[in-house]
């Protein structure tokens, strides 16, 4: 997993910080609260930059090194921001045997960034995900909330082109 | 409660939701409303029916008409014709193998369902998972009542032991014995956990169970709590399963309102409550000690056993952990008796098992079969065979911890012992079918990449050994391997298996070992002939133009990004293999089938 420090600067707001702080307080001294807190923080900020990890460490008393250890251990947590359009290509077994690997390669080539990273303009990020449990639709990709299934390379190309055009217009 | 004349069941599982079933429900409500039928006909969002390949699926009762691949624009026709005028919309009926009969058929008559026996999935696709009353109407919470009012904890454990139920998460440990170990511990605080961190890429029965029948899991966990003397449970579920998480939370809230969770359940003085903990995407958290570390809020790293969790588990207290599917069987066993369960299956593998059929198979979806059903029956009869006229090559069971079963062993019965005997495992029930176009060395590499990514890094054999193993297999698939590399690969597999700390490392080499066992000739073709028989491994591919088919239209030469194709107009072209980057663009472009890869 490439987890290089991002070039995109931290743009957290006071409101976001308040929401996080309130949530941490609401957890009280619940054993095992770090995971739900990190999940909430990622929901608020979209990712877990150092600035956010420091807030969590200071409020919970868990050392920052340990917070970082947890945040970097689980695949769901991301230390880098995600693009405006988050492309996820499922590489579960069912999708893989039906050619998802080639679809991923094609999309990376079209968008111009590697799996696990974000384009410099912050518009697109690509992830190779593990099974999303929609094996009946294999191969599957998702872009933000939209699910596209039963794909071949040509259809995937067509879908991505649509988003690229949309991004260009804005 | 209103009496309605007709029920419309729309699948709300993940597969069908992804192909727009929520919109279909909206359309149904709109169309029914427009015709003033809202009081007569009830639309229900259910869990998964299993036949995901044909989703979205709609069933209209009382006729039981099974409509497949329904689009929102078809809804008006179903309402107008079927519900209003009583004429079944034949165009949309799933006929399967019953094409000739041409009648609205009961589901159970189709090959897909005929051979199945639905115990764990008994309510999936039948009830509305967000409505506790429907679960209760289908004997829900009856088993919990029976256990709390008529049975001692020992009797509950004896019943589960007598049923022969074994863990459905992969290892197949006898469930009753696990409960007995935890019950024996003298500690006022114990925990009941449910493993819903379904990590095998290609298995989705736990997800479908939580989405389709969450109350059965809650009921079973409360029963387990009573049996071992625990008052708190945790369901550890993947955050990637938002629908499952939502329905489980709704179900827990309803169960509390009805008094099936909380204090003094059924007035018996027994207290039990449940919480949901979200996993965050780590395959190793399927291992029990790692899962408990994760619930405690740490990195999910496993630890050596003993002490086993039954003695020292979550927060250092005695804990039992069972898989979702295991729990789903428990209320059925209590209600129907252990003998009924033990009468199904084989001598050592009792009951049924749910498999997630995927890959190169016509009927992808979830199937529940009696243990001991042969792989051939599952693939050819229930699964409808391999599509597109291709030849069946192998079936992979057990995901990254399992192995491949070749065509010569297709009559293997699907039970714990028989699968282990052919070098695979039952695992959690992923069943991926592969055809002649799949390269077995490439599949082994795919699983290695997965386990290398997912190794937690705590023990050396897994952290470093798996990486070296992947490098070796990669060397073979890129055409640089030697026969010695195959030997070395095999040796390294055994070292990793014998020396790793947890189940992840101990089973991670299985995909390599089983393909070496059954498809060694493919490995040899890669290193000796420098050829990939299935035409998958890019470095070993050679594109070639068949002179007798090429008419010299030049379209391949124009599309080639590196100028590797040359030739005169209207004369056969040739590919310079030293320049070719094997992108396949020429083959896609050729209208005459003159370009082949081998």
């Amino acid at each position: 997993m490439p987890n290089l420090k991002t070039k995109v600067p931290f743009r957290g707001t006071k409101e976001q910080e308040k929401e996080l702080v309130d949530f941490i307080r609401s957890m009280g001294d619940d054993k095992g609260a770090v995971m739900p807190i990190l999940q909430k923080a990622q929901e608020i900020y979209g990712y877990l930059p150092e600035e956010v990890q420091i807030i969590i460490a200071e409020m919970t008393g868990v050392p920052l090194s340990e917070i970082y250890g947890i945040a970097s251990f689980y695949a769901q947590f991301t230390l880098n921001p995600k693009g405006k359009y988050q492309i996820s290509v499922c590489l579960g077994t069912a999708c893989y045997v039906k050619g998802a690997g080639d679809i991923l390669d094609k999309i990376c080539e079209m968008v111009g960034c590697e799996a696990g990273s974000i384009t410099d303009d912050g518009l697109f990020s690509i992830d190779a995900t593990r099974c999303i449990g929609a094996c009946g639709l294999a191969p599957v990709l998702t872009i933000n909330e939209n699910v596209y299934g039963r794909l071949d390379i040509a259809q995937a190309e067509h879908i991505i082109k649509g988003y690229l055009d949309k991004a260009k217009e804005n | 409660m209103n009496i309605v004349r007709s029920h419309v069941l729309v699948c709300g599982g993940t597969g069908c939701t992804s192909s727009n079933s929520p919109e279909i429900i909206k359309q149904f409500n709109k169309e029914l409303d427009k015709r003033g039928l809202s009081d007569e006909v009830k639309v229900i969002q259910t869990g998964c029916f299993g036949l995901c390949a044909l989703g979205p699926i709609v069933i209209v009762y009382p006729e039981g008409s099974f409509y497949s691949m329904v689009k929102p624009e078809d809804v008006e026709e179903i309402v107008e014709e079927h519900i209003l005028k009583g004429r079944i919309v034949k165009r949309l009926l799933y006929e399967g193998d019953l094409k000739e009969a041409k009648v609205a058929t009961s589901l159970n008559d189709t090959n897909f369902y005929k051979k199945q026996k639905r115990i764990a999935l008994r309510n999936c696709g039948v009830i509305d998972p967000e409505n506790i009353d429907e679960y209760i109407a289908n004997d829900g919470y009856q088993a919990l009542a029976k256990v709390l009012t008529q049975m001692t904890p020992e009797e509950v454990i004896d019943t589960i032991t007598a049923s022969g139920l074994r863990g459905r998460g992969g290892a197949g440990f006898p469930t009753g014995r696990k409960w007995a170990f935890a019950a024996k511990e003298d500690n006022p605080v114990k925990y009941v956990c449910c493993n819903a961190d379904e990590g095998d890429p290609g298995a989705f029965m736990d997800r479908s169970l939580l989405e389709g029948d969450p109350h059965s899991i809650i009921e079973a966990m409360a029963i387990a709590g009573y049996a071992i003397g625990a008052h708190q449970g945790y369901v550890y579920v993947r955050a990637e399963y938002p629908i499952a998480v939502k329905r489980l939370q709704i179900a827990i809230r309803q169960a509390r309102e009805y008094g099936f969770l909380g204090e003094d359940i059924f007035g018996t003085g027994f207290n039990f409550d449940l919480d949901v903990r979200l996993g965050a995407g780590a395959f190793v958290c399927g291992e029990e000690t790692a899962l408990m570390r994760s619930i405690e809020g740490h990195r999910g790293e496993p630890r050596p056993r003993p002490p086993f969790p039954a003695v020292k588990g979550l927060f250092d207290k005695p804990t039992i952990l069972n898989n979702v599917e295991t729990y789903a069987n428990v209320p059925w066993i209590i209600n129907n008796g252990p003998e009924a369960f033990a009468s199904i299956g084989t001598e050592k593998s009792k009951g049924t098992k749910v498999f997630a059929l995927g890959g190169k198979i016509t009927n992808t979806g979830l199937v529940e079969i009696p243990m001991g059903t042969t792989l051939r029956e599952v693939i050819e009869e229930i699964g409808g065979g391999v599509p597109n006229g291709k030849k069946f090559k192998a079936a992979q069971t057990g995901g990254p911890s399992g192995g491949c079963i070749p065509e010569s062993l297709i009559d293997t019965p699907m039970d714990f012992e028989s699968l282990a005997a052919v070098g695979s495992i039952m695992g959690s029930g992923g069943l991926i079918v592969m055809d002649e176009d799949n390269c077995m060395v490439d599949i082994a590499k795919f699983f290695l990449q997965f386990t290398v990514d997912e190794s937690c890094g705590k023990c050396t054999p897994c952290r470093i050994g798996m990486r070296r193993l992947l490098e070796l297999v990669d060397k073979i698939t890129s055409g640089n391997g030697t026969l010695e590399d195959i030997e070395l690969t095999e040796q390294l597999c055994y070292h990793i298996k014998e020396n790793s700390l947890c189940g992840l490392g101990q089973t991670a080499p299985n995909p390599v070992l089983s393909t070496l066992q059954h498809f060694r000739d493919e490995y040899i073709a890669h290193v000796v002939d420098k050829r990939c028989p299935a035409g998958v491994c890019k470095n070993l591919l050679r594109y070639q133009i068949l002179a007798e088919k090429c008419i010299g239209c030049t379209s391949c030469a124009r599309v080639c990004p590196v100028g590797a194709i040359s030739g005169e107009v209207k004369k056969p072209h040739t590919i310079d293999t030293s320049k070719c980057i094997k992108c396949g663009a020429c083959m896609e472009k050729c209208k005459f089938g003159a370009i082949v890869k081998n």
Side-chain angles (χ1 to χ4, degrees):
Chain A
M1 287 280 145
N3 255 332
L4 304 170
K5 212 164 155 65
T6 173
K7 284 179 225 158
V8 183
F10 179 61
R11 292 200 190 89
T13 62
K14 280 276 163 246
E15 290 75 37
Q16 285 174 321
E17 189 172 330
K18 183 173 179 305
E19 197 184 341
L20 177 62
V21 167
D22 288 346
F23 182 79
I24 298 175
R25 289 211 177 103
S26 76
M27 294 298 286
D29 53 358
D30 184 1
K31 287 184 282 187
V34 174
M35 293 272 288
I37 291 173
L38 286 172
Q39 274 154 345
K40 184 75 187 176
Q42 178 150 308
E43 192 190 307
I44 297 170
Y45 292 95
Y47 68 120
L48 297 172
E50 201 178 325
E51 291 83 353
V52 173
Q53 292 175 44
I54 290 172
I55 299 173
I56 298 170
E58 284 176 351
M59 284 197 63
T60 57
V62 179
L64 180 59
S65 59
E66 211 168 292
I67 298 284
Y68 175 77
I70 297 167
S72 57
F73 183 85
Y74 294 97
Q76 188 206 357
F77 296 131
T78 168
L79 306 180
N80 289 328
K82 292 284 171 200
K84 183 176 170 202
Y85 301 104
Q86 296 180 27
I87 305 171
S88 298
V89 181
C90 178
L91 284 194
T93 318
C95 289
Y96 185 78
V97 301
K98 287 189 155 180
D102 294 334
I103 290 177
L104 177 65
D105 289 347
K106 185 78 207 175
I107 292 176
C108 288
E109 183 196 315
M110 288 179 74
V111 174
C113 76
E114 301 268 300
S117 64
I118 179 169
T119 52
D120 287 343
D121 56 14
L123 281 175
F124 289 91
S125 58
I126 305 178
D127 283 298
T129 57
R130 296 302 177 200
C131 189
I132 59 167
C135 309
L137 301 177
V140 181
L141 70 86
T142 64
I143 300 175
N144 296 346
E145 303 296 308
N146 298 320
V147 182
Y148 302 92
R150 301 186 181 111
L151 296 170
D152 57 29
I153 289 196
Q155 283 167 310
E157 238 182 304
H158 180 75
I159 292 163
I160 298 297
K161 192 169 174 300
Y163 278 91
L164 285 170
D165 292 346
K166 203 153 102 188
K168 227 180 280 167
E169 278 167 26
N170 299 328
Chain B
M1 216 166 145
N2 282 338
I3 309 262
V4 293
R5 70 168 169 95
S6 180
H7 283 91
V8 177
L9 271 51
V10 183
C11 178
T14 292
C16 289
T17 299
S18 302
S19 41
N20 227 356
S21 72
E23 185 59 34
I24 292 172
I25 294 174
K26 235 186 268 168
Q27 281 295 327
F28 263 112
N29 284 325
K30 203 178 105 193
E31 294 295 332
L32 289 171
D33 209 31
K34 213 156 71 182
R35 291 169 177 77
L37 295 170
S38 299
D39 292 335
E40 290 174 43
V41 180
K42 197 169 170 202
V43 183
I44 297 165
Q45 172 172 273
T46 68
C48 181
F49 293 108
L51 196 52
C52 307
L54 295 174
I57 285 166
V58 174
I59 303 185
V60 181
Y61 283 105
E63 293 85 358
S65 307
F66 189 92
Y67 294 118
S68 61
M69 294 192 123
V70 177
K71 295 191 194 64
E73 53 270 29
D74 297 329
V75 169
E76 191 179 349
E77 188 179 342
I78 297 178
V79 172
E80 183 67 29
E81 287 295 310
H82 186 155
I83 294 173
L84 201 64
K85 300 178 183 160
R87 290 195 293 239
I88 288 162
V89 186
K90 290 198 174 153
R91 164 178 87 80
L92 296 168
L93 274 188
Y94 168 65
E95 289 158 342
D97 34 84
L98 291 153
K99 272 220 161 68
E100 263 124 65
K102 280 277 178 200
V103 284
T105 57
S106 150
L107 277 183
N108 298 329
D109 294 337
T110 61
N111 262 347
F112 183 74
Y113 289 102
K114 198 162 55 187
K115 290 230 157 184
Q116 295 197 48
K117 173 136 188 85
R118 289 161 89 88
I119 292 178
L121 297 174
R122 62 193 176 279
N123 287 327
C124 283
V126 177
I127 61 167
D128 176 355
E130 298 185 11
N131 184 345
I132 190 171
D133 292 328
E134 296 207 0
Y135 180 66
I136 294 171
N138 260 14
D139 298 340
Y141 290 105
Q142 202 174 323
L144 180 62
K146 182 175 170 190
V147 160
L148 293 184
T149 57
Q150 297 168 30
M151 294 169 84
T152 65
E154 293 74 32
E155 283 167 348
V156 176
I157 293 174
D158 290 344
T159 302
I160 299 299
T161 307
S163 75
L165 177 64
R166 293 168 66 176
R168 298 295 193 247
F173 191 82
T175 307
R177 209 187 315 160
K178 191 186 263 186
W179 291 14
F181 285 144
K184 210 172 63 193
E185 290 299 310
D186 187 19
N187 197 317
V189 183
K190 296 181 187 177
Y191 294 107
V192 171
C193 293
C194 174
N195 186 347
D197 190 48
E198 191 165 48
D200 168 3
F204 54 99
M205 62 286 298
D206 294 350
R207 157 176 226 162
S208 288
L209 272 167
L210 289 175
E211 288 175 356
D213 193 17
H215 283 288
S216 71
I217 311 302
I218 297 172
E219 183 178 8
M221 289 180 74
I223 292 169
Y226 176 71
I228 70 158
H231 304 291
Q232 175 66 40
Y234 291 98
V235 184
Y236 186 83
V237 51
R238 289 180 74 182
E240 290 95 326
Y241 286 0
I243 302 177
V245 173
K246 191 188 104 196
R247 293 204 182 136
L248 185 61
Q249 281 164 339
I250 291 173
I252 290 176
R253 205 179 56 228
Q254 290 174 342
R256 281 186 191 137
E257 281 167 16
Y258 277 61
F260 301 145
L261 284 177
E263 295 193 350
D264 195 20
I265 299 171
F266 290 121
T268 58
F270 173 66
N271 307 332
F272 188 80
D273 210 346
L274 270 186
D275 274 315
V276 177
R277 282 296 151 95
L278 297 188
F283 181 63
V284 70
C285 287
E287 199 278 342
E288 56 179 6
T289 60
L291 184 146
M292 290 172 200
R293 285 293 287 167
S294 184
I295 294 181
E296 291 166 8
H298 303 284
R299 289 164 69 97
E301 289 176 351
R303 62 160 176 78
R305 297 174 303 180
F308 284 93
V311 178
K312 205 173 170 187
L314 186 64
F315 301 115
D316 287 341
K317 305 293 182 199
T319 304
I320 56 161
L321 173 72
N322 287 116
N323 166 270
V324 174
E325 190 188 332
T326 315
Y327 281 126
N329 283 301
V330 168
W332 193 93
I333 293 171
I334 301 284
N335 284 333
N336 295 277
E339 302 80 16
F341 191 80
S343 70
I344 306 162
T346 65
E347 194 200 334
K348 288 183 174 164
S349 304
K350 299 298 185 192
T352 58
K353 176 78 192 88
V354 182
F355 285 94
L357 270 183
K360 308 279 184 64
I361 184 128
T362 308
N363 297 334
T364 48
L366 277 192
V367 301
E368 182 169 352
I369 49 167
M371 294 267 193
T373 306
T374 65
L375 181 59
R376 186 191 294 279
E377 289 172 279
V378 176
I379 290 174
E380 293 179 358
E381 295 177 32
I382 300 174
V386 177
N388 306 325
K390 298 278 182 178
K391 200 167 159 288
F392 170 77
K393 183 171 187 179
Q396 212 278 350
T397 65
S401 306
C404 294
I405 304 163
E407 209 222 336
S408 58
L409 294 171
I410 195 169
D411 287 309
T412 304
M414 308 284 278
D415 60 61
F416 289 105
E417 284 71 30
S418 307
L419 287 172
V422 298
S424 187
I425 61 164
M426 173 80 80
S428 55
L431 181 63
I432 307 286
V433 179
M434 285 170 274
D435 66 12
E436 51 193 305
D437 292 340
N438 290 112
C439 165
M440 302 317 285
V441 190
D442 180 64
I443 291 297
K445 191 171 91 174
F446 165 78
F447 283 115
L448 287 180
Q449 280 163 342
F450 180 86
T451 31
V452 164
D453 269 359
E454 295 294 341
S455 171
C456 77
K458 185 165 175 170
C459 75
T460 321
C462 179
R463 181 183 68 241
I464 299 175
M466 289 304 294
R467 198 163 278 278
R468 295 291 95 88
L469 191 59
L470 174 60
E471 285 164 7
L472 273 169
V473 174
D474 192 50
K475 192 176 164 194
I476 293 170
T477 58
S478 11
N480 302 318
T482 61
L483 282 173
E484 289 72 43
D485 287 328
I486 298 182
E487 302 269 310
L488 190 59
T489 301
E490 203 162 14
Q491 277 175 22
L492 186 52
C493 284
Y494 288 113
H495 282 304
I496 297 169
K497 272 177 85 75
E498 282 157 22
N499 296 305
S500 292
L501 170 63
C502 81
L504 194 158
Q506 287 159 8
T507 58
N510 285 353
V512 182
L513 282 174
S514 86
T515 46
L516 271 172
Q517 185 187 343
H518 299 300
F519 298 95
R520 204 180 189 90
D521 52 334
E522 278 196 36
Y523 281 82
I524 292 173
H526 280 74
V527 300
V528 176
D529 309 336
K530 307 288 176 204
R531 202 171 60 83
C532 173
V536 172
C537 299
K538 275 211 175 105
N539 279 336
L540 297 173
L541 282 185
R542 275 183 208 95
Y543 283 86
Q544 205 187 341
I545 299 179
L546 301 172
E548 67 274 17
K549 283 196 178 168
C550 178
I551 61 149
C553 72
T554 76
S555 60
C556 61
R558 275 179 281 138
V559 78
C560 179
V562 290
I565 302 179
S566 57
E568 283 174 43
V569 181
K570 296 196 176 161
K571 288 206 176 133
H573 282 46
T574 51
I575 300 176
D576 180 350
T577 47
S578 64
K579 280 189 191 163
C580 175
I581 56 164
K582 294 146 189 164
C583 66
C586 54
M587 196 168 152
E588 246 171 69
K589 199 81 189 172
C590 181
K591 289 191 190 113
F592 309 96
I595 299 179
V596 292
K597 58 180 179 178
N598 53 35

